[in-house]
Amino acid sequence: MGTFLRDQFIKNVTVDEELLQQVNDFLAERCTSSNEQLEKKGGVQEDVLLQNYIIRFDNRGYKLTEFSDVQKHYAQATKVERVIFTLDSNRAVFSNKQQGTSIELRLDSNEPNNTNLQVSSDDGDLVDSVFCGLLEIIKKFQNHNGKIRNNWTQLLIQLLGVGLGFVASLVTALKLYPYVKIESAFIITFLFTFLVFSNAWGFINQQILNLVNKLFPNVRFSRAGRSPLNWLWQALVGGLIVAFALLIINGILDWVIKVLSNYVQW
């Protein structure tokens, strides 16, 4: 990389046509002004900046040099997976970004860890101005998905799942142990049932987390008239899920109390 480097992961952003346009305008202005100054100073060709794009959608991708082509693919795609803006000098391209100026903004809806902004250059002022300028644009399009995509949500799902599994295993053991003709039948039946649940819970938990990540992604590509869920719809879906979960929990607890009443004198 160049002498100066700044990078940062991008979190919880809704990407739409306006964001793409603002980012492109910002980088295009930087590209034009830098190349004009370079020409006035009689700089070398290796320091000329080149603007490029990558867009991946519907399981195929394109490397492009015109933003109008990005807009066309973005509008026509069924599902947009990734958009990348790059602004590199010839020197950076030829040196595999070890020297010169390199600016890259990656927006990836599939891989949160692949969504980041990185700016490097021999010019520290350029690095700071471009990095801060792009972050200011992105901040205007941040959403509230981080309130759901966090470790506390994962902990809540884990505790709820284990609690429901314990209750289900207990009820199952109470139902089955009279038919098991061995010593300590209830304990063995309960342990066996809970062991089966524990092995299945790892897979079930991952599927629940995948559903949460799908409903509340780190990067959501939104298009005019084609966005399936905005924040209001997400809140509605989330509320329905919580209400349904509470209904299930209430039903299970009522069932447990009814079953235990046959075995325990209150």
Side-chain angles (χ1 to χ4, degrees):
M1 292 295 178
T3 304
F4 300 94
L5 170 68
R6 295 190 67 177
D7 59 354
Q8 181 173 314
F9 286 112
I10 305 300
K11 296 182 179 180
N12 308 312
V13 62
T14 299
V15 179
D16 60 12
E17 292 89 343
E18 185 179 356
L19 183 149
L20 298 178
Q21 186 68 61
Q22 290 189 26
V23 169
N24 182 71
D25 291 346
F26 180 88
L27 293 177
E29 182 180 356
R30 170 63 64 173
C31 180
T32 300
S33 61
S34 295
N35 288 341
E36 287 178 350
Q37 292 178 14
L38 182 66
E39 185 177 356
K40 291 179 181 178
K41 295 178 181 179
V44 295
Q45 188 68 22
E46 285 79 1
D47 291 324
V48 171
L49 295 179
L50 304 173
Q51 193 170 1
N52 293 280
Y53 314 87
I54 294 176
I55 181 170
R56 178 172 173 78
F57 61 95
D58 302 342
N59 295 319
R60 63 181 186 271
Y62 294 91
K63 294 183 177 180
L64 305 168
T65 58
E66 296 294 334
F67 183 63
S68 59
D69 292 331
V70 177
Q71 292 175 306
K72 180 184 67 175
H73 290 307
Y74 189 83
Q76 295 176 349
T78 300
K79 179 184 178 182
V80 180
E81 303 167 25
R82 184 186 310 130
V83 176
I84 303 175
F85 292 86
T86 60
L87 182 59
D88 296 325
S89 66
N90 285 323
R91 190 186 303 276
V93 174
F94 296 149
S95 65
N96 195 25
K97 300 186 179 181
Q98 296 300 311
Q99 300 175 354
T101 298
S102 177
I103 303 167
E104 182 176 80
L105 173 61
R106 304 176 67 94
L107 302 168
D108 194 319
S109 62
N110 294 330
E111 296 292 338
N113 293 331
N114 199 33
T115 299
N116 58 75
L117 169 63
Q118 181 171 290
V119 183
S120 65
S121 177
D122 301 323
D123 185 345
D125 292 335
L126 181 148
V127 170
D128 290 336
S129 63
V130 171
F131 185 81
C132 294
L134 288 174
L135 281 186
E136 283 298 317
I137 294 174
I138 293 170
K139 285 179 180 178
K140 295 186 294 184
F141 295 86
Q142 287 187 313
N143 55 46
H144 300 280
N145 288 1
K147 296 177 181 178
I148 303 298
R149 296 176 53 88
N150 56 58
N151 293 332
W152 291 108
T153 299
Q154 297 180 24
L155 177 62
L156 179 62
I157 293 173
Q158 178 69 16
L159 293 178
L160 264 177
V162 172
L164 291 175
F166 177 86
V167 171
S169 299
L170 178 63
V171 172
T172 302
L174 288 172
K175 290 289 188 180
L176 294 180
Y177 90 92
Y179 304 99
V180 180
K181 305 303 180 181
I182 58 176
E183 187 177 352
S184 302
F186 171 74
I187 296 177
I188 293 176
T189 304
F190 170 75
L191 292 177
F192 175 77
T193 305
F194 192 67
L195 180 63
V196 171
F197 164 78
S198 298
N199 282 275
W201 173 241
F203 173 79
I204 297 172
N205 182 53
Q206 188 59 52
Q207 300 310 307
I208 295 175
L209 292 178
N210 288 340
L211 177 61
V212 171
N213 291 333
K214 185 176 181 179
L215 289 174
F216 304 91
N218 182 56
V219 172
R220 178 182 297 283
F221 288 108
S222 173
R223 288 168 291 169
R226 301 184 62 180
S227 181
L229 288 175
N230 55 30
W231 173 248
L232 179 62
W233 284 109
Q234 288 177 312
L236 178 61
V237 171
L240 289 174
I241 291 175
V242 171
F244 184 66
L246 292 176
L247 181 64
I248 292 177
I249 293 172
N250 183 66
I252 290 177
L253 290 177
D254 289 343
W255 182 33
V256 170
I257 292 174
K258 182 178 179 181
V259 171
L260 290 179
S261 65
N262 298 323
Y263 299 91
V264 179
Q265 185 175 0
W266 301 95

